[in-house]
Amino acid sequence: MLTDSDEQGVSAARPHPSFAALRQVRAGVLNVGYAEAGPAHGPAVVLPHGWPYFRDGQQSVFAVDLIALMDTLGIERAVHTGFGWGSRTADIVAALWPERCKALVSVTGYLISNRKRTTPPSPAPPPPSGTRTMCAS
């Protein structure tokens, strides 16, 4: 609760504007639904979020998709503000295409990682038969 000048309680909830109808656009290989708000010629802020329902969660693919969306919408540079998986996407855009990133806000995201490098190594093969193994302590 907030209080007014008369110390009377008022609700902290404020009405918020809702987005107009979602728009659809073909961006690269995807048909992307997006919401748009604010002045048409104002600074662009991209808010990616979500869980990868397809594409095997390939981190860089989501970033490529976001760049394709920006290209389709004519957005040269944007403030990238991501949450969860969206923050990883925003991080990758900032790392690989810094010229497309005016600023970055990354919230509760995952680190950019190299899945191939973080895979545990395969166990060493057994020594060839007839090999003498010695241990010293």
Side-chain angles (χ1 to χ4, degrees):
M1 294 289 275
L2 299 176
T3 57
D4 60 17
S5 59
D6 295 327
E7 298 297 320
Q8 306 236 343
V10 294
S11 173
R14 305 249 194 266
H16 59 82
S18 61
F19 291 115
L22 291 179
R23 298 178 183 198
Q24 294 290 134
V25 66
R26 187 86 175 152
V29 299
L30 299 177
N31 182 3
V32 178
Y34 69 98
E36 192 173 294
H41 298 291
V45 177
V46 178
L47 305 166
H49 78 92
W51 180 257
Y53 292 107
F54 59 95
R55 295 187 156 214
D56 299 325
Q58 297 172 359
Q59 303 168 50
S60 60
V61 174
F62 292 112
V64 169
D65 291 341
L66 182 54
I67 292 295
L69 177 62
M70 290 175 66
D71 289 344
T72 300
L73 298 176
I75 299 171
E76 187 60 35
R77 292 181 70 206
V79 174
H80 295 271
T81 305
F83 177 83
W85 272 71
S87 66
R88 182 183 286 181
T89 301
D91 293 347
I92 293 168
V93 168
L96 298 181
W97 294 278
E99 70 280 2
R100 305 298 299 268
C101 185
K102 183 175 182 177
L104 172 66
V105 179
S106 185
V107 181
T108 66
Y110 303 88
L111 299 174
I112 300 172
S113 60
N114 181 331
R115 292 185 349 183
K116 189 173 184 178
R117 287 194 71 192
T118 58
T119 302
S122 300
S129 62
T131 302
R132 185 172 162 194
T133 306
M134 299 171 64
C135 293
S137 58

